[in-house]
Amino acid sequence: MPQPDPFQTLLAGQLRQAFDDDRDADTFLLRLDRYGPELTASLQATYGDAAPALMDRLLELMLHAYHARPADLKRLDEARLLSPDWLQEPGMLGYVAYTDRFAGTLKGVRDRLDYLQDLGVTYLHLMPLLQPRPGENDGGYAVADYRAVRSDLGSMDDLSALAADLRARGVSLVLDLVLNHVAQEHEWARKARAGDPTYREYFHVFPDRTAPDAYERTLPEVFPDFAPGNFTWDDAAQGWVWTTFNTYQWDLNWSNPSVLAEFVDIILHLANRGVEVFRLDAIAFMWKRLGTDCQNQPEVHHLTQALRACARIVAPAVAFKAEAIVAPADLIHYLGSGPHHGRVSDMAYHNSLMVQLWSSLASRDTRLFAEALRVFPPKPTNTTWGLYVRCHDDIGWAISDTDAHRAGLDGAAHRHFLSDFYSGEHPGTFARGLVFQFNPQTGDRRISGTAASLAGLEDALESGDPRHVEAAVRRLLLLHAVTLGFGGLPLLYMGDELALLNDYSFAAVPEHAADNRWLHRPRMDWERAADAHANPATPHGRVNAGLRHLIAVRRGLPHLHASVESRPVHSPDPCVLLLRRDHPQGVMLAAYNFSEHTIDLPTWALRDHLGDHARDHIAGTAFSLGGGTVTLEPYRALWLTQS
Ligand code: GLC
């Protein structure tokens, strides 16, 4: 038996005195036993000598938050500890919406819960709703106050009430936690600008260009078009302030332990209000190191581990989702590798899958898709992917030259083709989109547009040709089938369930005009929602019904539990992507035809994985794979299991 550490025993004794209730004390101390070592290791690795004092500070914050945690949330904590794989279940479905664009206010969202539940939503990400700076605010990602709700949307009490309503229906509330920066109007920045040295240390402020110039040598630009460079001169602060994104978004200095303590406090505060998942916005940028691109630095993972350990001790119902739009080899660390395995984010966006969906749709060729997935590092089995067709951001062509090369393509030429295709410049394209952030130095052109417009529905409706409309509807359902059939948490982006088209009115809104990502941030069209129901033969009715069907089928397929990986397997036809899942209940093979052609797939390609008989769960048909071919209509998806 290992001897108990006398210091730990003393600490436990002291901590116990902070509780009236022995069971509460036991719970807290057990969790501290479990997660304390992860926390101290991360603090030590990041802050060295400053770690012990910081640990004391964090303990105080955690005790306070634990005592303040409402009883129903403590009950949720217990429930989640009994189902640690809750985010991985095939019944989970995400929905991502702007509160105002979806339902006006938080109270308005409460009135729309039947709609969400009817769709099968179990996870509701409400886009930035904390108090932003006035005027331009990067869609709310410039937060001025983390403890207040944007006043036109409601109050903190409205947020708690909504969270409780959602919880009662088995829906988790998800909020953005903007970690990398605050608005220049945030109290910390205001104090820094007023000359308070404590708060100046919360940011990276340099008296002259020496350090900024040195960093700039290896820094990329996120918004080369409307916010070039990474530093902004501030008169009040008398210095160059690090501003990776817009000039009004001040990057935080996470090497200052106080910044970590502030965020632990914010997370626990919001968790006690009922927030269940935090989307860790722009997490890759948190730590700066000279001579690097200042992304994906090892300290980022220590910091996440520290934040997560604190959350697990006080509020184990809470999960983290990493918003790291980075290369696959870097991305995997956000789900935990090496000593961080299973200790950082529970979920991360699968940006690469999203990019490959659009790439294959344009090229009618899935070889690059399969190649990219083939070399994708496997994720820890207790984590999950956030899978999406579209989100509120632009699409950047994150396709590596080496993957392209292995698929017989030239990376730069293919990226160029995709930008042409989705901005409507390529001859014969079906897509309608806009170029976002043309970078003359790299030639990069990112793309804005809604899923429906990019998949051809806008163009098809204008052409009036029913064959084009048919193809666009099928393309949309194919993309949804891949994300729903991949094994992870699909994140439906508001409006995509109704095939909403591009919203060109953003150009008339002064705060939005310069940022064409607003093209794909339309207002919810409730009339169309009603119409989709009443007229299921309309294009939006068909997309809606098709999507609902896929969601229902998915919910009943244990093979789609996210602990299992989807792996590409050899496909005899480049138009068809074959993905295999080795689930203990049997093999599942998904087949996706990314073209407008009818493909006759030789049965051996499926028999090798499924044996002689298979069943497609989408159409409910049985296939005999003894010989001959299986016909895949244009854009057809099959979810096959052995039968
Ligand atoms: C994330 C958001 C994006 C925002 C950026 C800065 O990437 O998704 O919309 O502009 O962070 O906060």
Side-chain angles (χ1 to χ4, degrees):
M1 278 271 289
Q3 289 302 306
D5 174 341
F7 172 71
Q8 291 299 335
T9 315
L10 180 73
L11 181 69
Q14 283 170 354
L15 285 175
R16 204 167 262 286
Q17 287 166 18
F19 293 87
D20 300 330
D21 181 312
D22 263 356
R23 270 197 59 188
D24 258 1
D26 280 343
T27 303
F28 188 87
L29 289 171
L30 278 170
R31 292 185 195 160
L32 192 62
D33 267 354
R34 166 68 181 81
Y35 291 103
E38 293 178 15
L39 178 55
T40 43
S42 295
L43 299 183
Q44 190 61 44
T46 316
Y47 300 112
D49 292 346
L54 177 58
M55 183 66 186
D56 286 347
R57 215 165 140 189
L58 297 182
L59 265 177
E60 214 170 290
L61 293 174
M62 287 190 283
L63 275 173
H64 178 78
Y66 182 82
H67 285 307
R69 189 149 173 86
D72 56 336
L73 289 172
K74 285 192 171 169
R75 195 167 170 278
L76 182 70
D77 291 332
E78 297 304 319
R80 286 283 158 71
L81 291 170
L82 295 174
S83 301
D85 65 340
W86 65 283
L87 275 176
Q88 300 186 293
E89 308 243 2
M92 287 295 292
L93 179 73
Y95 192 82
V96 182
Y98 290 94
T99 305
D100 52 345
R101 308 215 139 214
F102 178 64
T105 60
L106 290 173
K107 285 207 176 91
V109 176
R110 292 175 78 184
D111 297 335
R112 297 292 184 183
L113 296 185
D114 285 345
Y115 175 82
L116 294 174
Q117 211 167 12
D118 183 50
L119 201 56
V121 172
T122 59
Y123 165 115
L124 177 63
H125 173 193
L126 291 178
M127 298 290 294
L129 51 68
L130 299 177
Q131 189 61 58
R133 73 190 290 267
E136 250 185 82
N137 56 38
D138 190 22
Y141 287 102
V143 180
D145 186 350
Y146 289 81
R147 288 164 209 270
V149 167
R150 214 175 93 184
S151 47
D152 60 317
L153 302 179
S155 64
M156 266 294 167
D157 287 339
D158 293 334
L159 187 74
S160 300
L162 173 63
D165 278 1
L166 288 167
R167 199 155 62 243
R169 293 175 183 243
V171 183
S172 300
L173 177 64
V174 185
L175 285 199
D176 286 272
L177 186 74
V178 187
L179 292 165
N180 178 66
H181 44 263
V182 297
Q184 67 183 16
E185 288 76 10
H186 189 284
E187 190 194 351
W188 305 333
R190 278 195 284 113
K191 288 185 174 161
R193 300 175 96 192
D196 184 331
T198 305
Y199 287 94
R200 199 178 164 95
E201 286 297 304
Y202 275 41
F203 301 96
H204 303 274
V205 190
F206 304 99
D208 56 45
R209 283 297 304 184
T210 319
D213 285 344
Y215 281 110
E216 283 287 16
R217 257 171 240 134
T218 50
L219 280 176
E221 287 174 314
V222 178
F223 295 143
D225 200 342
F226 52 57
N230 289 275
F231 300 87
T232 303
W233 174 260
D234 188 84
D235 272 338
Q238 275 301 297
W240 289 93
V241 181
W242 200 308
T243 55
T244 300
F245 292 85
N246 289 290
T247 53
Y248 51 78
Q249 286 163 303
W250 284 29
D251 285 38
L252 287 159
N253 175 12
W254 280 84
S255 71
N256 177 351
S258 294
V259 170
L260 178 90
E262 297 274 12
F263 271 90
V264 166
D265 202 24
I266 289 169
I267 290 174
L268 299 181
H269 175 79
L270 292 171
N272 281 355
R273 287 290 191 167
V275 177
E276 295 183 30
V277 181
F278 289 93
R279 173 188 178 277
L280 308 179
D281 179 71
I283 182 176
F285 297 86
M286 282 165 78
W287 195 270
K288 324 294 186 194
R289 176 164 283 116
L290 192 65
T292 72
D293 62 359
C294 297
Q295 290 183 51
N296 314 309
Q297 297 301 307
E299 287 80 357
V300 171
H301 307 300
H302 282 297
L303 292 169
T304 319
Q305 180 170 311
L307 294 174
R308 183 176 184 269
C310 294
R312 299 292 288 175
I313 291 168
V314 177
V318 162
F320 284 173
K321 170 171 62 169
E323 191 247 345
I325 308 304
V326 300
D330 294 316
L331 177 60
I332 206 68
H333 303 298
Y334 291 84
L335 292 176
S337 57
H340 301 296
H341 186 106
R343 295 176 172 180
V344 280
S345 290
D346 307 276
M347 183 171 161
Y349 284 96
H350 204 319
N351 179 60
S352 187
L353 186 89
M354 183 277 292
V355 166
Q356 294 297 340
L357 288 174
W358 293 104
S359 164
S360 287
L361 206 60
S363 64
R364 282 83 162 171
D365 191 321
T366 65
R367 283 175 291 190
L368 174 62
F369 199 150
E371 196 49 39
L373 287 181
R374 193 180 64 78
V375 294
F376 215 88
K379 64 169 186 55
T381 53
N382 61 343
T383 61
T384 190
W385 291 119
L387 304 163
Y388 59 116
V389 172
R390 282 300 285 118
C391 72
H392 71 290
D393 278 328
D394 52 289
I395 306 176
W397 302 116
I399 289 168
S400 83
D401 288 342
T402 43
D403 287 356
H405 183 75
R406 276 197 315 275
L409 296 168
D410 175 76
H414 187 61
R415 292 190 293 269
H416 190 85
F417 157 71
L418 292 171
S419 295
D420 277 354
F421 193 94
Y422 286 107
S423 59
E425 279 163 40
H426 187 78
T429 183
F430 48 71
R432 293 274 177 92
L434 293 178
V435 169
F436 177 72
Q437 304 292 321
F438 169 55
N439 186 335
Q441 267 168 13
T442 58
D444 279 350
R445 284 171 298 159
R446 285 139 64 185
I447 294 292
S448 288
T450 66
S453 290
L454 295 178
L457 190 59
E458 188 176 328
D459 191 64
L461 289 172
E462 265 173 40
S463 79
D465 186 332
R467 286 167 310 172
H468 292 177
V469 175
E470 173 70 24
V473 166
R474 287 183 179 220
R475 279 186 209 110
L476 284 169
L477 289 174
L478 172 76
L479 300 184
H480 289 304
V482 181
T483 51
L484 287 157
F486 193 76
L489 208 160
L491 305 167
L492 265 186
Y493 182 59
M494 188 207 83
D496 283 353
E497 76 276 27
L498 298 168
L500 290 194
L501 303 177
N502 287 341
D503 174 8
Y504 295 94
S505 71
F506 78 91
V509 182
E511 305 91 83
H512 299 166
D515 185 343
N516 70 27
R517 288 177 297 174
W518 288 95
L519 179 67
H520 52 257
R521 297 170 181 175
R523 286 184 189 286
M524 183 57 167
D525 186 340
W526 290 107
E527 268 172 40
R528 208 186 238 241
D531 191 58
H533 219 62
N535 294 306
T538 55
H540 48 280
R542 289 188 53 205
V543 169
N544 193 259
L547 186 58
R548 283 170 190 275
H549 175 66
L550 290 169
I551 292 167
V553 173
R554 171 175 180 269
R555 196 181 301 129
L557 266 179
H559 305 73
L560 286 171
H561 192 278
S563 53
V564 173
E565 293 274 348
S566 277
R567 290 184 301 108
V569 293
H570 173 71
S571 168
D573 192 303
C575 294
V576 177
L577 179 72
L578 292 180
L579 297 178
R580 175 181 166 135
R581 303 177 59 73
D582 284 281
H583 189 272
Q585 294 199 29
V587 171
M588 173 175 168
L589 190 73
Y592 302 110
N593 178 2
F594 270 83
S595 77
E596 58 273 72
H597 313 299
T598 299
I599 308 283
D600 287 320
L601 210 60
T603 47
W604 58 256
L606 308 177
R607 187 171 60 237
D608 282 357
H609 306 283
L610 297 162
D612 284 343
H613 300 282
R615 191 177 125 79
D616 164 37
H617 293 262
I618 298 179
T621 40
F623 288 100
S624 172
L625 304 177
T629 57
V630 165
T631 301
L632 279 178
E633 293 82 12
Y635 302 115
R636 175 82 184 267
L638 302 175
W639 289 347
L640 300 162
T641 62
Q642 293 155 324
S643 73

